[in-house]
Amino acid sequence: MKETTKKSFHVGGSIEKAMAGDVELQPIAVLQEAFKITAKNYTKYLPAVICLFIAQIALLLLSLKIQLGSPNVFFDAFITGKGFTADILKAGFMANFWSDILIAPLYVGVSLMALNHSVGLPTKPSQIVKGFSFTLVSIITMLLISSIQGIGSSIFPLVGLFLTMALSMAILLVCEKRVTPIKAIQYSFMATVRKVMPMTAIYLVVMIFFFLSIVTAGIGLLWTLPFFFNVKAIIYRNMFGITLQVTSATPNADDHKSESKPDDNVSEPINNDTFNA
């Protein structure tokens, strides 16, 4: 028999430090680390990201079909510029809005996998379903975030872009720190304001990558999307920190068969519902 002991330790910042702006966030260092961990985990991470992307496109098309009868109505009007009415524009906005909200559990799963990468833990594609443990709270959080972003965009597009960046950590705070959606939005916003310059620099680079991905007919998204999630995970770790749990299994003194075997040590984040190393 083996006896197990569990110890926890913290990696990165904390909510208190993030609120005070007392965190290290160097754009070049963040981007370089994101490149490394994306390359290291690419083959096992990409299938989960593709699954998320396909699911969101499916929800987007379904929403357009429900509103317009056929998604082609929207895309034909968008491409040709003919018949692009206010109703069609509204349908496109609502389709994007609801697809963002309904995809939240899968988005959480992919985001939590990226958190594993940020602390050196491996992942496998099946871990995308871990987000379903947070289905209700993730949908509520995403609904609030999308609504706030929509209001900001209606005031001025740059306001919407800023809010997209400022609220980007909220969904992870809800799931990893188990705070309420309102608190998570508050923490994410205030932490971003404290580090607005380095955050802006990082997100500008990510936006350039997305633009280049579109120029390459979307092929570049195969790298940019995993990279984007890993960038967010590193920012989150540096700002708010991640609590890990180390489980050590040691042989029982009465089990002579185990005397020559080394201890088994397993590291995993402290919330088992959130991660599984």
Side-chain angles (χ1 to χ4, degrees):
M1 297 293 292
K2 292 184 177 181
E3 296 179 352
T4 60
T5 57
K6 294 184 177 181
K7 297 180 180 180
S8 61
F9 62 95
H10 196 75
V11 179
S14 66
I15 291 178
E16 292 75 16
K17 289 182 177 180
M19 293 302 95
D22 186 23
V23 294
E24 189 72 20
L25 197 65
Q26 298 294 331
I28 294 177
V30 169
L31 294 169
Q32 287 178 337
E33 184 178 358
F35 263 105
K36 291 179 182 178
I37 65 175
T38 300
K40 180 180 179 181
N41 299 282
Y42 187 72
T43 56
K44 291 185 177 181
Y45 192 42
L46 182 61
V49 176
I50 291 176
C51 179
L52 172 68
F53 181 76
I54 292 174
Q56 183 151 19
I57 294 298
L59 286 172
L60 183 69
L61 295 177
L62 178 61
S63 180
L64 288 173
K65 181 176 177 61
I66 291 173
Q67 296 179 84
L68 301 175
S70 172
N72 291 332
V73 174
F74 175 83
F75 293 113
D76 288 344
F78 181 80
I79 293 172
T80 63
K82 298 178 180 179
F84 200 72
T85 64
D87 289 339
I88 292 178
L89 179 61
K90 180 180 177 182
F93 173 80
M94 293 305 297
N96 183 68
F97 179 80
W98 286 110
S99 65
D100 282 345
I101 293 168
L102 296 177
I103 206 66
L106 289 179
Y107 185 91
V108 168
V110 171
S111 298
L112 295 179
M113 290 174 69
L115 279 194
N116 267 352
H117 300 158
S118 73
V119 292
L121 299 179
T123 58
K124 50 187 177 181
S126 61
Q127 287 180 315
I128 190 174
V129 300
K130 286 291 184 180
F132 287 108
S133 299
F134 306 96
T135 296
L136 182 58
V137 71
S138 66
I139 288 176
I140 292 173
T141 304
M142 195 65 78
L143 176 61
L144 292 172
I145 292 172
S146 297
S147 299
I148 295 171
Q149 290 171 353
I151 293 171
S153 296
S154 66
I155 296 173
F156 192 68
L158 285 179
V159 175
L161 286 174
F162 172 75
L163 289 173
T164 298
M165 176 182 72
L167 305 182
S168 60
M169 300 293 112
I171 196 77
L172 284 171
L173 282 164
V174 166
C175 299
E176 199 271 332
K177 293 288 187 284
R178 307 297 179 90
V179 300
T180 65
I182 297 298
K183 279 290 186 183
I185 289 172
Q186 176 188 346
Y187 292 151
S188 181
F189 183 85
M190 294 305 298
T192 300
V193 170
R194 296 286 187 273
K195 291 292 180 179
V196 66
M197 294 306 294
M199 283 282 285
T200 301
I202 292 169
Y203 271 78
L204 278 175
V205 172
V206 172
M207 286 179 64
I208 291 172
F209 277 26
F210 273 109
F211 175 76
L212 294 176
S213 297
I214 295 172
V215 171
T216 60
I219 296 175
L221 290 174
L222 294 175
W223 173 268
T224 302
L225 285 172
F227 175 74
F228 168 65
F229 281 102
N230 286 323
V231 165
K232 286 180 59 179
I234 293 169
I235 293 173
Y236 179 89
R237 181 202 64 198
N238 288 1
M239 279 189 167
F240 300 102
I242 302 170
T243 302
L244 300 175
Q245 189 175 79
V246 177
T247 302
S248 300
T250 56
N252 190 292
D254 295 331
D255 190 353
H256 66 280
K257 293 182 180 181
S258 301
E259 288 180 356
S260 61
K261 295 181 180 179
D263 293 354
D264 296 326
N265 295 289
V266 179
S267 298
E268 59 181 8
I270 197 165
N271 292 322
N272 291 331
D273 288 340
T274 307
F275 302 94
N276 186 9

